[in-house]
Amino acid sequence: MANLAIDSIKDRTFDAIVIGSGASGGWAAKEFTEKGLKTLVLERGRDVVHVKDYPTTNLYPYELDHRGEVTYEDKQVNPIANRCYAYKEDTAHFFVKDDEHPYIQEKEFDWIRGYQVGGKTLLWARQTQRWSEYDFEGPARDGFAVDWPIRYDDIAPWYSYVERFVGIAGNRDGVATLPDGEFLPAYPLNAAEDHFREVVNKHYQGRHIISARCAHLSQPQPIHIQQGRVQCQNRTLCQRGCPFGGYFSSNASTIPWAQKTGNLTLRPFSVVHSILYNQESGKATGVRVVDTNTKEEMEFYAQVIFVNASTLNTNLILMNSLSDRFPEGLGNNNGLLGKYVAFHNYTARISAEYHGLSQYKTDGRNPAGGGYIPNFRNVHRQETDFLRGWAAAFGASRPEVRDTGGLGADLKEALQLPTLGDWRVHSHMMAETIPKESNRVWLDADKKDVWGVPLLHVSIEYADDDWQRRQDYYEQMTEMYEAAGFTNIKTTDDPRRPGNDIHEMGGVRMGHDPKTSLLNKWNQLHGCNNVYVTDGACMTSTATQNPTLTYMALTARAVDHAVAELKKGNL
């Protein structure tokens, strides 16, 4: 019996454990397995195999029972999921439904989740921008949050490393607030978008309209062909799963790459209950897992653990990892675990019309979505009453117009001969929010989910400065629209709740000082150095950029450090 027990423990022991299989977890798996480490990836959801498990990817609208629309019953049962822009009949199978993993909303918050191998990389908007030196220096310069323990130069080579493998379409725009990267050819702006770019360049110093940078293979390189991925087909059906691998997902890229090494063990249907800690060694020894289907508890062991469960679940796992040494959660020496959670503010839109450039039209689809306006507020000096700033998406198109005023044969002929209307231009804001101690999450003392894990309380809300940024966005965009000759300008408050941006960050923030942060410059817990956090939970501030590229770069950098430390015997 003793030998059987020893063999069982041996079968459950690995060099590294990665919790989560999304953007950062997939990268941790790729990096560890490439470096020769036997790696266990734990995913709480089901397995989704590239191509095979994309059931709607090639369906026409008429092949969907409700032509792509969500039923009234579904909207009543899943109000949180339905508030996500990507939740449709053809994508609902990639979303966590409202009753599948409940949480307690102290303030209104939409927790949008994708529990499956690949996580939300099957659903993300694929926008990829580097942070700049201004973003990493922001807290120290502006006096909010705590100083980032790294700067742009620390992560720049890792941005390049990730970009070359992922495949990022974009231009080298020479914008200091949005550093250039390793790009494939960009998706060009259309005529109206380019007109706006020219006007802004002419009238505004330090403001830019660029082609949006996105994780799409506009021109695949050998490294992408080796992954089994081919050129993006511009279908813009990405949220269904791409059978071509035309955009980056863990399913199409990092997970299969890790599997080819022979060093990966992928275990779906595995809810991580907590991380095991040995007080004598001062190290984490493994994780406790609950099988999603059978509810069986088991333990797995490793020398190093990467927590990449997505921001709120990462906070939850660490808070539920209790020991005599850490009675308030693993690494929580300072009581800050779960606090200073931040997000992005997407609550503003502005639209208009343009009567010029009638000789041009738009054909085909642009997977990048159009243009992007990098933040230009409070960059070199404090110029507003609020800290930091906002970025924005920008796009334009010409709709088809059909005359529906006739009857009979005249109506039929008119419907068959549409004309092009005036240009419609549109934009939405992507504003930074300032991390505040009051924006936090914590575990319920009594209520648990079906796997025996405490339910998460979420108390996160907008603040007055968020509305100041929104007003500034309206004012500045209106002024630029007017300069471009746009008319019928309309501003629209978007009623989305915090969380619906799907960019929650923080709670396990990086920093120099163990008294004011949880992680060091290598993403290690100050209080337990063989546990790393490299998903959104590690973020000290949010900047305005879409954050996924930064998570992946931080992960590659942290794995490189972890492997070096393992070889030195420091972990």
Side-chain angles (χ1 to χ4, degrees):
M1 293 296 291
N3 288 336
L4 288 175
I6 292 171
D7 289 343
S8 175
I9 292 173
K10 184 178 179 181
D11 290 342
R12 290 179 282 120
T13 300
F14 299 83
D15 298 320
I17 293 175
V18 178
I19 303 172
S21 62
S24 61
W27 263 92
K30 169 191 175 296
E31 294 300 296
F32 274 128
T33 56
E34 270 193 314
K35 297 176 188 297
L37 276 71
K38 297 296 183 181
T39 304
L40 172 66
V41 171
L42 296 167
E43 167 56 52
R44 68 179 296 149
R46 65 192 175 96
D47 196 5
V48 172
V49 178
H50 178 50
V51 183
K52 182 175 79 72
D53 292 326
Y54 304 155
T56 63
T57 188
N58 288 320
L59 298 184
Y60 289 99
Y62 62 81
E63 294 180 289
L64 295 162
D65 289 343
H66 305 98
R67 303 299 188 265
E69 295 300 315
V70 177
T71 65
Y72 175 80
E73 180 184 9
D74 193 299
K75 290 178 181 179
Q76 299 305 303
V77 174
N78 298 298
I80 295 170
N82 270 279
R83 281 191 287 269
C84 179
Y85 75 96
Y87 186 84
K88 303 293 182 185
E89 185 180 22
D90 59 346
T91 62
H93 51 284
F94 289 145
F95 283 84
V96 173
K97 307 306 186 292
D98 290 13
D99 64 346
E100 290 176 343
H101 186 199
Y103 60 103
I104 301 168
Q105 299 182 58
E106 299 290 334
K107 306 285 176 61
E108 291 187 338
F109 185 88
D110 289 342
W111 189 6
I112 308 299
R113 291 155 290 173
Y115 292 165
Q116 62 255 327
V117 170
K120 294 192 292 290
T121 65
L122 290 167
L123 296 163
W124 69 313
R126 307 164 307 283
Q127 301 294 294
T128 42
Q129 308 103 18
R130 293 188 180 199
W131 280 35
S132 72
E133 58 183 296
Y134 303 102
D135 300 305
F136 286 106
E137 293 171 359
R141 182 179 68 248
D142 298 341
F144 70 96
V146 296
D147 185 20
W148 273 89
I150 62 172
R151 290 295 186 263
Y152 176 71
D153 287 346
D154 294 310
I155 196 173
W158 296 101
Y159 275 136
S160 294
Y161 178 74
V162 167
E163 287 164 344
R164 285 191 291 266
F165 190 85
V166 166
I168 309 295
N171 288 318
R172 299 188 68 82
D173 300 294
V175 178
T177 55
L178 202 73
D180 292 328
E182 311 295 327
F183 294 141
L184 306 174
Y187 291 92
L189 300 175
N190 64 36
E193 293 162 353
D194 200 50
H195 162 70
F196 189 49
R197 179 190 64 81
E198 291 176 351
V199 169
V200 169
N201 284 349
K202 179 179 179 181
H203 293 282
Y204 298 93
Q205 184 176 2
R207 302 188 186 188
H208 305 274
I209 315 297
I210 67 171
S211 174
R213 299 169 182 176
C214 64
H216 282 258
L217 300 182
S218 57
Q219 188 179 95
Q221 300 302 299
I223 186 61
H224 307 124
I225 303 301
Q226 291 173 36
Q227 296 172 43
R229 301 167 60 200
V230 298
Q231 184 168 330
C232 172
Q233 304 297 299
N234 299 358
R235 301 190 315 155
T236 63
L237 296 174
C238 316
Q239 69 279 3
R240 297 180 177 187
C242 180
F244 306 97
Y247 75 83
F248 171 82
S249 69
S250 295
N251 309 72
S253 180
T254 47
I255 295 294
W257 192 268
Q259 287 172 324
K260 287 193 297 184
T261 67
N263 293 322
L264 178 68
T265 299
L266 177 63
R267 195 180 199 283
F269 300 112
S270 301
V271 172
V272 174
H273 175 279
S274 53
I275 296 171
L276 307 172
Y277 178 78
N278 183 293
Q279 190 152 325
E280 291 184 10
S281 65
K283 308 286 185 184
T285 58
V287 298
R288 178 170 291 116
V289 167
V290 180
D291 186 282
T292 304
N293 298 315
T294 68
K295 310 299 190 294
E296 178 190 1
E297 284 194 14
M298 61 200 75
E299 295 179 354
F300 296 93
Y301 308 98
Q303 292 176 278
V304 61
I305 298 167
F306 267 54
V307 192
N308 301 93
S310 83
T311 296
L312 298 191
N313 271 324
T314 287
N315 276 271
L316 188 158
I317 289 167
L318 292 175
M319 287 188 288
N320 201 42
S321 301
L322 306 177
S323 63
D324 291 340
R325 170 68 180 83
F326 294 110
E328 296 182 357
L330 184 62
N332 192 19
N333 287 323
N334 50 28
L336 296 180
L337 179 61
K339 297 181 180 180
Y340 295 100
V341 177
F343 52 100
H344 279 154
N345 179 0
Y346 278 34
T347 63
R349 297 179 179 275
I350 184 167
S351 62
E353 298 174 3
Y354 183 53
H355 304 300
L357 298 173
S358 58
Q359 71 273 34
Y360 297 104
K361 62 180 181 178
T362 54
D363 285 324
R365 301 178 180 92
N366 182 351
Y372 180 81
I373 305 172
N375 176 47
F376 54 84
R377 300 303 262 168
N378 302 321
V379 175
H380 299 287
R381 61 184 178 85
Q382 186 62 38
E383 55 188 340
T384 69
D385 291 335
F386 57 83
L387 294 174
R388 312 299 292 141
W390 49 268
F394 174 78
S397 61
R398 292 190 71 186
E400 288 187 342
V401 178
R402 290 174 169 82
D403 182 3
T404 60
L407 295 171
D410 291 340
L411 174 60
K412 181 178 180 180
E413 183 176 354
L415 292 176
Q416 291 176 331
L417 297 172
T419 60
L420 286 173
D422 291 325
W423 289 92
R424 302 286 193 269
V425 299
H426 54 86
S427 171
H428 69 263
M429 175 186 73
M430 298 177 282
E432 185 163 357
T433 68
I434 301 303
K436 299 173 176 65
E437 187 173 10
S438 58
N439 281 344
R440 65 190 187 97
V441 298
W442 66 94
L443 301 185
D444 194 274
D446 301 306
K447 297 176 183 176
K448 297 184 178 182
D449 61 27
V450 297
W451 305 285
V453 179
L455 296 188
L456 191 69
H457 287 256
V458 181
S459 182
I460 297 171
E461 62 182 342
Y462 295 114
D464 289 343
D465 57 322
D466 294 315
W467 311 134
Q468 290 177 303
R469 290 184 201 88
R470 182 168 73 181
Q471 184 59 35
D472 187 67
Y473 164 81
Y474 285 150
E475 292 172 358
Q476 298 303 314
M477 289 298 295
T478 297
E479 181 182 308
M480 290 190 287
Y481 273 21
E482 290 174 342
F486 298 161
T487 59
N488 194 24
I489 300 171
K490 296 180 179 179
T491 61
T492 305
D493 292 349
D494 187 331
R496 69 173 65 202
R497 298 154 26 135
N500 203 272
D501 53 286
I502 325 180
H503 288 175
E504 57 267 17
M505 294 174 248
V508 197
R509 69 183 181 185
M510 298 173 69
H512 297 285
D513 189 348
K515 294 180 180 178
T516 57
S517 62
L518 278 297
L519 305 171
N520 68 13
K521 66 179 180 179
W522 299 109
N523 295 82
Q524 296 167 284
L525 281 174
H526 289 301
C528 184
N529 71 355
N530 68 329
V531 174
Y532 290 70
V533 176
T534 62
D535 63 6
C538 78
M539 302 296 275
T540 303
S541 60
T542 72
T544 59
Q545 294 90 324
N546 296 63
T548 306
L549 178 65
T550 298
Y551 302 164
M552 294 190 287
L554 286 171
T555 302
R557 176 177 180 268
V559 172
D560 185 72
H561 177 265
V563 173
E565 291 295 286
L566 283 170
K567 291 179 179 177
K568 296 174 185 175
N570 293 337
L571 300 183

